[in-house]
Amino acid sequence: MPKPLRIVAAILYLAVGACAQAPVSVTATPQAADQPASPAHCDATNVTAAVGRLPSVEVVEAARKDAGAEVVRTLRPGQAITREFRIGRLNLVLDAEGRIASAHCS
C-alpha cells in the first residue's frame, strides 16, 4: 500500500473511532417502599370549574391544585407547543376570546 494511501486510511480510522460512543451501563436504583411510585399525577376531570373563565393567576393556580398537577401551562389558539409528555403537567387550552375552553394533562 502506498504511503499516502496509508496516511488517509489511518486518518479515516481515527476519525471513525473518535465518533464511536463508549457503551453506557445503566443501573436502576431500588425505590424505597415509603416513596411514591412516580411524581404527582394530573387529573383534568377535577378542573371543570375553570372552564369558561379567564385564566387569572388565582384561577390557574386553583385549577393546578384541583388537578393535582405539579405545573400548569396555558395554550392559546395557534400557539407552538412542545410535545414532550410530563405526567404532572396540566394544560389549559384557551379559546379565541382568551377563556379556558378545555383542560388536559400531559
Side-chain angles (χ1 to χ4, degrees):
M1 181 182 274
K3 188 173 183 178
L5 193 55
R6 287 183 190 170
I7 294 172
V8 170
I11 291 171
L12 287 174
Y13 178 77
L14 291 173
V16 170
C19 294
Q21 295 181 354
V24 177
S25 64
V26 177
T27 57
T29 56
Q31 194 170 15
D34 60 342
Q35 289 181 339
S38 62
H41 290 280
C42 177
D43 183 7
T45 59
N46 298 330
V47 186
T48 55
V51 175
R53 298 180 67 187
L54 291 172
S56 67
V57 174
E58 295 82 15
V59 170
V60 171
E61 182 60 16
R64 184 193 67 77
K65 287 180 182 178
D66 290 346
E70 294 175 340
V71 293
V72 62
R73 67 177 174 178
T74 56
L75 305 173
R76 290 171 171 57
Q79 176 183 344
I81 61 170
T82 58
R83 303 287 290 179
E84 85 278 3
F85 180 76
R86 290 188 61 185
I87 197 165
R89 179 176 58 203
L90 174 66
N91 296 297
L92 298 176
V93 181
L94 306 182
D95 61 15
E97 296 174 358
R99 295 186 180 277
I100 299 170
S102 64
H104 65 276
C105 298
S106 69

